């Protein structure tokens, strides 16, 4: 006897379709799972055996072969338990699946037959929709997450007994009822959870058809003074440019960057699905409020983080902080306190906006399109060039050089804005501070200008411009070109820095609602790079 069901597992953050083939033949009772399973899948035999017996079904006393195809792809995780159990029950004639349904089956089994949730459901349900499946059978605890994918039937079960009202009656069929009516086989076998499908507009957290906006008590109106730093942060947000703040302790560097998400626009529905997929694959979705994540991620790892924690990795590769910050902000506070080898791995994601982790059998690719925001002191004690007598720097030149050497030139070259944050003067006379709402309105206007400009392109922000398209898009006036060429020679900047200055100038022009770049825009972009000379 032969049977086949479909299940899925994660490959990076994407779902992969797996065929669960079952063959029952005469011979000594033995169950074999083939198709490159990992330890968790091989142990599924005992979980499935106990669950089937404890639910009143009969475990086939035959030679059982379970193949997970494609056979050359390594399978990992516990999401195949339910599919293996149902495949055995259908092949042995104890359960009959409706022929009109093309169902993907996911879930982990407990020994008593209860169904436990599995990570990465969002990616696997999205795969099922793209592959033409009509429904997905999965753990009840994963229903809310699965319903974020529209136009596919989602059925959640809590126990293996939910497959049929009477396990001793092998003629019972696995059916569903949209209206919740009883079937000919008896009471309702599976509930229909289609009424939980998500529908709404981006701009908050989407939950079961209603919009719940997240509120934050942090606002830029709380930060008095530092107007030039707020302007730089607005430029960074408008073009999704990387930014670094340098200054002594107590000048508000961390406070300014932590308020950066308040001036960024909310995620679009497509971006929200990408971000939620990453959290689902990493197993962090339980920590987030229900629904699609509409607020841009803000990740702030501690400086003791390892390379694998930052970039991703492990025996079964999982997304790192750069992927968890996808479509959002990665904040590295006290940048030189991070290990140099940890910082160096950021160079490739900052350019390619993806992370590829290679293993012996496969290579996993994770998205990593994020804005890098970081802060640092000018020296280990933090008071280099301080004016006050009581804050005189006590660091030797060798110690200062070793402190700064943790940040390599190539990494610094990839940070667009390098802004010095001096101690605030008489902040009581600094006037009214702009609020996050006012700053966000200007940023979103700049975003709308970029959206129109790149409507027929695969990019969305000025920071993504590169190569020939960069030079075709940005036309500098003659005076601005002369200024930029002179700056390159004076500061000894690289061509990468040259291109980043051009992109920043375009963003500044968008913020000022100018149709073309002016010399003043290039001059402002250049002054954000002066730390290359003054500090490094």
């Amino acid at each position: 006897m032969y049977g086949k069901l479909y299940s899925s597992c994660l490959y990076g953050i994407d779902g992969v379709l797996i065929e669960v083939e079952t063959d029952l033949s005469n011979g000594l009772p033995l169950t074999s799972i083939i198709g490159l399973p990992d330890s968790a899948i091989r142990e599924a035999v005992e979980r499935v055996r106990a669950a089937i017996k404890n639910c009143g079904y009969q475990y086939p006393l035959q030679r059982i072969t379970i193949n997970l195809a494609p056979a050359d792809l390594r399978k990992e995780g516990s999401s195949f338990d339910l599919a293996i159990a149902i495949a055995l029950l259908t092949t042995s004639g104890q359960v009959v699946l409706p022929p009109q349904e093309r169902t993907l089956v996911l879930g982990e089994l407990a020994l008593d037959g209860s169904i436990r949730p599995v990570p990465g459901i969002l990616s696997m349900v999205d795969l099922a929709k793209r592959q033409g499946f009509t429904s997905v059978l999965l753990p009840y605890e994963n229903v809310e997450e699965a319903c974020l994918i529209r136009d596919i039937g989602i059925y959640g079960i809590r126990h293996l007994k939910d497959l049929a009202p009477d396990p001793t009656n092998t003629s019972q069929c696995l059916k569903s009822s949209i209206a919740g009516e009883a079937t000919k086989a008896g009471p309702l076998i599976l509930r229909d959870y289609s009424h939980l499908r998500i529908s709404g507009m981006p701009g908050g957290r989407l939950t079961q058809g209603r919009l719940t906006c997240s509120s934050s008590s942090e606002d830029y109106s709380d930060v008095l003074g530092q107007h030039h730093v707020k302007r730089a942060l607005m430029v960074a947000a408008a073009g999704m440019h990387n930014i670094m703040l340098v200054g002594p302790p107590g000048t508000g560097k961390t406070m300014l960057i932590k308020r950066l998400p308040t001036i960024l626009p909310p995620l679009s529905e497509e971006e929200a699905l990408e971000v939620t997929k990453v959290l689902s694959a990493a197993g962090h979705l339980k920590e987030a409020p229900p629904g699609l994540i509409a607020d841009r991620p803000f990740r702030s790892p501690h400086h003791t983080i390892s390379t694998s924690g930052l970039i991703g990795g492990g025996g079964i590769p999982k997304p790192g902080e750069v992927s968890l910050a996808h479509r959002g902000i990665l904040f590295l506070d006290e940048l030189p306190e991070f290990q140099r080898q940890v910082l160096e791995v950021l160079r490739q994601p900052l350019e390619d906006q993806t992370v590829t982790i290679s293993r012996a059998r496969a290579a996993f690719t994770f998205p990593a399109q994020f804005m890098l925001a970081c802060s640092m002191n000018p020296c280990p004690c933090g008071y280099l060039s301080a004016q006050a007598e009581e804050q005189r720097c006590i660091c030797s030149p060798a110690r200062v050089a070793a402190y700064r050497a943790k940040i390599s030139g190539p990494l610094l070259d990839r940070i667009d804005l390098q802004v010095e944050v001096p101690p605030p003067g008489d902040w009581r006379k600094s006037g009214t501070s702009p609020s996050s709402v006012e700053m966000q309105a200007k940023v979103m206007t700049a975003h709308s200008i970029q959206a129109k400009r790149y409507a027929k392109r695969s990019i969305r922000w000025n920071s993504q411009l590169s190569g020939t398209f960069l030079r075709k898009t940005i036309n500098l006036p003659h005076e601005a070109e002369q200024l930029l060429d002179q700056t390159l020679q004076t500061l000894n900047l690289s061509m990468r820095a040259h291109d980043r200055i051009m992109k920043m100038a375009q963003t500044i022009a968008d913020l000022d609602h100018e149709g073309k770049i002016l010399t003043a825009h290039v001059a402002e972009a250049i002054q954000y790079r002066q730390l290359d000379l003054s500090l490094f």
Side-chain angles (χ1 to χ4, degrees):
M1 291 182 287
Y2 170 83
K4 182 171 70 173
L5 281 180
Y6 291 94
S7 188
S8 179
C9 67
L10 282 179
Y11 192 85
I13 67 165
D14 297 318
V16 178
L17 187 64
I18 302 297
E19 296 181 3
V20 181
E21 299 178 301
T22 309
D23 179 76
L24 275 61
S25 60
N26 295 329
L28 293 175
L30 177 66
T31 303
S32 302
I33 299 182
I34 59 177
L36 290 182
D38 70 343
S39 299
I41 299 176
R42 286 193 294 268
E43 292 171 353
V45 173
E46 300 305 323
R47 292 194 296 272
V48 170
R49 188 197 310 273
I52 287 178
K53 290 183 177 179
N54 290 333
C55 290
Y57 298 101
Q58 296 294 322
Y59 191 84
L61 297 178
Q62 296 173 279
R63 184 177 182 85
I64 302 172
T65 303
I66 300 169
N67 180 42
L68 304 179
D72 60 343
L73 178 68
R74 186 166 184 81
K75 290 83 179 175
E76 297 158 336
S78 58
S79 60
F80 300 106
D81 288 8
L82 184 58
I84 292 173
I86 296 178
L88 288 175
L89 293 176
T90 55
T91 307
S92 60
Q94 300 180 64
V95 170
V96 180
L97 296 179
Q100 71 275 10
E101 290 278 346
R102 189 165 185 252
T103 304
L104 190 76
V105 183
L106 305 166
E108 177 184 338
L109 278 173
L111 297 183
D112 64 347
S114 58
I115 313 297
R116 291 172 175 161
V118 294
I121 283 291
L122 192 63
S123 298
M124 292 185 274
V125 175
D126 184 49
L127 168 74
K129 178 183 175 181
R130 289 186 280 108
Q131 292 289 337
F133 285 83
T134 58
S135 60
V136 181
L137 179 65
L138 43 71
Y140 184 81
E141 294 182 35
N142 289 129
V143 164
E144 188 172 12
E145 177 184 347
C147 286
L148 295 174
I149 305 298
R150 304 176 184 176
D151 302 324
I152 186 169
I154 303 299
Y155 305 106
I157 59 174
R158 292 187 173 92
H159 204 279
L160 193 60
K161 290 180 180 179
D162 294 342
L163 292 176
D166 184 8
T168 61
N169 186 352
T170 59
S171 65
Q172 299 289 359
C173 298
L174 179 62
K175 297 181 179 179
S176 63
S177 173
I178 296 178
E181 300 174 355
T183 65
K184 294 180 180 179
L188 182 64
I189 299 174
L190 282 181
R191 299 170 183 169
D192 183 4
Y193 294 97
S194 60
H195 62 282
L196 294 177
R197 285 204 188 107
I198 304 302
S199 61
M201 297 173 58
R205 297 196 183 275
L206 303 179
T207 59
Q208 296 187 10
R210 62 182 185 273
L211 184 64
T212 306
C213 296
S214 60
S215 59
S216 175
S217 58
E218 297 181 341
D219 194 281
Y220 273 116
S221 60
D222 303 331
V223 185
L224 302 179
Q226 305 292 17
H227 295 291
H228 74 292
V229 184
K230 294 178 184 177
R231 167 71 175 181
L233 289 166
M234 198 158 53
V235 171
M240 299 300 285
H241 299 286
N242 303 323
I243 185 170
M244 178 171 68
L245 303 184
V246 184
T251 55
K253 302 184 298 295
T254 302
M255 182 171 60
L256 284 161
I257 292 181
K258 282 189 174 180
R259 284 160 173 74
L260 189 55
T262 63
I263 64 174
L264 289 174
L267 294 167
S268 65
E269 191 168 356
E270 180 183 356
E271 291 175 331
L273 185 59
E274 291 179 15
V275 173
T276 311
K277 275 186 179 181
V278 175
L279 290 178
S280 177
H284 294 172
L285 202 56
K286 292 181 179 179
E287 305 168 7
L292 287 177
I293 306 299
D295 296 328
R296 295 191 179 272
F298 183 86
R299 305 292 300 185
S300 181
H302 194 260
H303 65 264
T304 57
I305 190 171
S306 65
T307 302
S308 297
L310 184 64
I311 211 72
I316 303 175
K318 295 292 183 182
E321 290 292 335
V322 296
S323 297
L324 295 174
H326 180 58
R327 301 289 186 180
I329 301 169
L330 176 65
F331 176 38
L332 302 183
D333 200 7
E334 301 297 340
L335 188 66
E337 298 299 332
F338 288 79
Q339 298 181 24
R340 181 181 175 116
Q341 61 267 28
V342 173
L343 294 178
E344 288 305 298
V345 300
L346 288 173
R347 289 159 59 175
Q348 182 261 338
L350 286 173
E351 288 292 329
D352 300 339
Q353 299 181 343
T354 58
V355 173
T356 300
I357 301 174
S358 298
R359 292 292 181 262
R361 293 185 178 271
F364 300 85
T365 301
F366 300 100
Q369 184 179 336
F370 60 92
M371 178 201 302
L372 176 63
C374 44
S375 67
M376 62 172 288
N377 295 325
C379 65
C381 75
Y383 296 107
L384 185 67
S385 302
Q387 301 294 328
E389 182 69 23
E390 62 275 8
Q391 294 181 344
R392 186 174 298 277
C393 177
I394 61 173
C395 302
S396 64
R399 190 181 178 196
V400 173
Y403 179 75
R404 297 175 180 174
K406 291 185 177 181
I407 307 174
S408 66
L411 177 61
L412 183 65
D413 211 24
R414 288 167 168 82
I415 300 177
D416 303 327
L417 294 90
Q418 306 153 7
V419 184
E420 190 172 2
V421 186
D426 194 353
W427 51 268
R428 293 181 179 85
K429 299 180 180 179
S430 60
T432 305
S433 181
S435 66
S436 294
V437 175
E438 297 170 346
M439 297 171 66
Q440 187 188 43
K442 297 180 181 179
V443 169
M444 293 187 69
T445 301
H447 281 192
S448 63
I449 294 173
Q450 296 172 66
K452 293 178 182 178
R453 182 187 300 130
Y454 309 127
K456 298 181 180 179
R457 297 280 178 172
S458 59
I459 65 175
R460 296 190 58 187
W461 323 110
N462 291 328
S463 59
Q464 295 175 297
L465 289 169
S466 62
T468 306
F469 184 57
L470 168 65
R471 284 154 182 81
K472 287 182 178 180
T473 303
I474 299 179
N475 296 316
L476 300 180
H478 180 68
E479 297 81 2
E481 287 184 352
Q482 287 184 328
L483 176 63
L484 184 54
D485 291 341
Q486 184 180 359
T487 302
L488 288 177
Q489 296 177 4
T490 303
L491 300 182
N492 194 24
L493 298 179
S494 66
M495 287 305 298
R496 181 187 289 113
H498 173 275
D499 291 349
R500 290 182 180 274
I501 290 173
M502 292 178 62
K503 290 185 279 189
M504 278 192 292
Q506 182 64 70
T507 301
I508 295 169
D510 294 339
L511 272 175
D512 293 343
H513 308 290
E514 295 287 348
K516 59 181 180 179
I517 299 176
L518 305 178
T519 305
H521 300 149
V522 177
E524 182 179 352
I526 290 173
Q527 64 95 13
Y528 292 134
R529 301 287 306 192
Q530 287 189 356
L531 291 180
D532 289 330
L533 177 64
S534 61
L535 287 181
F536 295 89

